[in-house]
Amino acid sequence: MEHSYSTMDASYTESVWWAFKELFKKGLVYQGFKPMHICPRCETTLSNNEVTSNYKDITDISVTAKFELVKEQDTYILAWTTTPWTLPGNVALAVSPDAEYVKVAIGDEKYILASARAETALAGKEYTVVSRMKGSELVGAEYKPIFDYYSEQGTLPNRENGWKVYGADFVTMESGTGVVHIATAFGEDDMNLGMKENLPFVQHVSMDGTMKKEVRDFAGVSVKPKSDEKDGHQATDILIIKHLAGIGALFSKEKIVHA
């Protein structure tokens, strides 16, 4: 009788481990990270097919956050995100090197964002353009972390490369401020830039979808609560936004419908 082999058979498993051992002996194996879709209920990875077949349009809250420059008091780079819960994991900001950026004055504070996005991002506010610059001129600028849960850790690998501005070709002028907030553990572009520039790898969310204990202000909170209540999935984003407002790091917020 012909035997039907499966990936659960010991012979199959043994052959996989043999192949892995041979690769390891040849120095062809390395340890690293890859962004994957995770099911927080069973803490396992999801296939792209499982995820893409279940997309739906929902209403979320997007925010524009203020990142203060280290060497320029009361001067902030504005970065827009549709996922406020990723902000505690921020390690860098990305700009388009060839695009034009402007520094504008609103009251006693100055803000930096892409020239092409200024009219939309600053709608309803009276501002004066102070100066213009290429994105490449912003590269290397240091800013103060909004959340210091990880930046204060002196032993964090690549700490010296974190919380600076970098150039990236994936930054577009189609939405937001022309500045992308980078959280290396969340998003393929973020991780690729992190590997290219040796950025700190900060994973502030556990496999069960809750904030880790070092995220003091939100420890144990589910980043995207599954709720039957209207807008219940926004609960954590709302907590983040209130915190940003309390520390003076919130520039603006708005509701957005996206997949």
Side-chain angles (χ1 to χ4, degrees):
M1 181 177 178
E2 186 176 346
H3 180 70
S4 177
Y5 288 95
S6 77
T7 56
M8 296 296 290
D9 290 330
S11 58
Y12 178 90
T13 305
E14 289 169 358
S15 67
V16 171
W17 277 110
W18 175 85
F20 183 83
K21 180 181 179 181
E22 292 301 306
L23 291 170
F24 181 80
K25 283 161 52 177
K26 294 177 181 179
L28 300 175
V29 176
Y30 70 93
Q31 183 177 5
F33 296 96
K34 181 180 180 180
M36 304 282 290
H37 294 292
I38 302 293
C39 170
R41 177 182 58 82
C42 51
E43 300 186 30
T44 57
T45 57
L46 295 168
S47 69
N48 285 335
N49 182 61
E50 288 177 295
V51 175
T52 55
S53 64
N54 285 285
Y55 268 91
K56 62 180 180 180
D57 288 336
I58 63 171
T59 300
D60 263 334
I61 306 175
S62 66
V63 303
T64 299
K66 300 161 54 177
F67 297 82
E68 187 174 16
L69 293 178
V70 170
K71 294 184 178 180
E72 293 186 53
Q73 189 176 4
D74 296 326
T75 300
Y76 304 82
I77 297 179
L78 297 180
W80 180 76
T81 179
T82 60
T83 54
W85 60 268
T86 62
L87 286 171
N90 170 267
V91 298
L93 296 175
V95 298
S96 174
D98 297 325
E100 182 185 70
Y101 287 75
V102 291
K103 180 188 295 184
V104 303
I106 300 178
D108 295 329
E109 296 184 336
K110 296 181 179 65
Y111 302 100
I112 296 172
L113 72 165
S115 176
R117 299 300 307 165
E119 185 175 346
T120 300
L122 304 176
K125 294 179 170 59
E126 293 186 10
Y127 64 90
T128 302
V129 175
V130 176
S131 61
R132 299 176 184 272
M133 68 214 77
K134 286 286 187 181
S136 55
E137 296 177 60
L138 294 169
V139 173
E142 296 181 59
Y143 63 90
K144 300 175 184 178
I146 293 178
F147 297 97
D148 60 3
Y149 311 127
Y150 295 92
S151 62
E152 65 183 10
Q153 296 180 11
T155 57
L156 180 69
N158 299 324
R159 167 66 184 82
E160 67 281 3
N161 297 328
W163 300 280
K164 296 179 182 178
V165 178
Y166 291 87
D169 58 10
F170 57 78
V171 180
T172 71
M173 300 298 134
E174 296 175 3
S175 60
T177 64
V179 180
V180 176
H181 123 74
I182 301 297
T184 43
F186 301 95
E188 189 171 5
D189 286 335
D190 301 56
M191 177 161 284
N192 288 341
L193 183 65
M195 290 190 292
K196 177 186 175 183
E197 303 290 354
N198 292 316
L199 299 177
F201 182 79
V202 170
Q203 192 170 14
H204 68 289
V205 180
S206 298
M207 288 283 283
D208 65 357
T210 61
M211 301 277 192
K212 292 184 176 180
K213 62 181 181 180
E214 56 264 32
V215 186
R216 299 179 298 272
D217 302 291
F218 313 101
V221 175
S222 175
V223 296
K224 276 293 178 186
K226 185 176 180 181
S227 173
D228 294 329
E229 296 181 16
K230 185 178 183 296
D231 300 332
H233 65 282
Q234 299 176 3
T236 300
D237 286 335
I238 291 172
L239 286 177
I240 297 286
I241 291 169
K242 288 181 177 178
H243 186 91
L244 292 175
I247 61 175
L250 178 66
F251 182 77
S252 65
K253 60 182 174 63
E254 64 178 337
K255 288 192 173 183
I256 181 174
V257 177
H258 63 162

